[in-house]
Amino acid sequence: MNANRAPLPRTELADLLANAAQSVSGILTAEYPTPPSRSYLHPVLGALSAGPRVVGELNERLEGFVADEPLPATPAGLFTLASYASALGWLTESLAELTTSVDQICTRVGIPTNPPDTALAAPAVAHEGDELDFDFSAPELAAIRIAAEAASLPPGDYVAVLSQSLLAASRITDACMEISSGLLEDATYVLAEATDHVWISDGPNSLPTLVRSLLARMEAAE
């Protein structure tokens, strides 16, 4: 490791953040083959299968960044490190919440809480809940009953677990979109607006976007 190594240029720092943003947004377009017997898990299986891989890739890139610039001393380097670390932590936490939601769905229908490919092969256990408490049209009701039968679940239970799945998918989608957009904003800042002064001394508005978002969420939770 060369202690006298020149700091990374802003273009490379911005590329690090922009590439991370692209990787995170790619989670939302990931597909995972879902058989009819597990159709209620379709909304979450893509993110569930792609998310850990993306976290691993981001970790490797972070290690490479630290290896190139062990203790960033430039304002742009510090800013980039804070933004990237915040994004990685937020994504890891969001995927943990997604996994918990999927575990709850699997527990409800009686399948093992293993990785998707293993869980999909397990038999389901039917529960009580044949009544539907929602106002569906005739075609929608017919489609629900067909999907529920393929999943070996009463229609009421099928709607319930599908709703849980859709809610979990919505949460991970919101998180990935906010993380990705924050990384892109920070990449733009590093490339065009970061000054030669230590960014942390410039006030809260100069903090990375995701750091400010996380601080706001912490304040709201108090």
Side-chain angles (χ1 to χ4, degrees):
M1 184 179 297
N2 186 357
N4 298 319
R5 189 186 186 103
L8 293 176
R10 291 186 185 182
T11 52
E12 290 189 28
L13 295 173
D15 284 345
L16 181 71
L17 297 178
N19 290 336
Q22 184 176 9
S23 295
V24 173
S25 63
I27 293 174
L28 303 180
T29 58
E31 294 288 340
Y32 191 91
T34 311
S37 61
R38 298 291 180 264
S39 59
Y40 49 85
L41 288 175
H42 180 72
V44 295
L45 287 183
L48 188 65
S49 63
R53 173 182 53 78
V54 171
V55 168
E57 291 175 357
L58 296 186
N59 266 314
E60 289 181 3
R61 294 178 197 170
L62 180 60
E63 291 174 0
F65 171 58
V66 174
D68 287 338
E69 194 169 298
L71 292 174
T74 65
L78 288 169
F79 187 95
T80 300
L81 180 60
S83 175
Y84 197 101
S86 298
L88 182 57
W90 191 338
L91 179 61
T92 302
E93 179 183 358
S94 298
L95 288 171
E97 293 174 354
L98 175 65
T99 301
T100 297
S101 296
V102 173
D103 284 348
Q104 292 171 348
I105 294 171
C106 291
T107 298
R108 178 164 186 167
V109 300
I111 60 178
T113 54
N114 294 323
D117 56 342
T118 304
L120 291 177
V125 176
H127 296 270
E128 296 179 1
D130 197 39
E131 295 299 325
L132 294 173
D133 296 327
F134 303 90
D135 186 17
F136 294 108
S137 66
E140 290 172 336
L141 185 59
I144 289 171
R145 293 191 181 281
I146 292 173
E149 183 178 358
S152 300
L153 290 172
D157 280 2
Y158 183 87
V159 170
V161 292
L162 178 59
S163 297
Q164 286 182 263
S165 185
L166 290 170
L167 179 59
S170 175
R171 288 172 177 164
I172 192 64
T173 296
D174 289 346
C176 287
M177 290 179 64
E178 190 165 359
I179 294 168
S180 180
S181 64
L183 285 167
L184 290 175
E185 288 180 26
D186 289 344
T188 299
Y189 181 85
V190 167
L191 193 60
E193 299 180 30
T195 69
D196 291 331
H197 301 290
V198 178
W199 57 268
I200 199 169
S201 69
D202 294 336
N205 289 335
S206 65
L207 290 171
T209 303
L210 295 179
V211 173
R212 285 185 274 122
S213 297
L214 288 170
L215 289 174
R217 286 159 63 96
M218 291 172 62
E219 291 177 359
E222 292 179 353

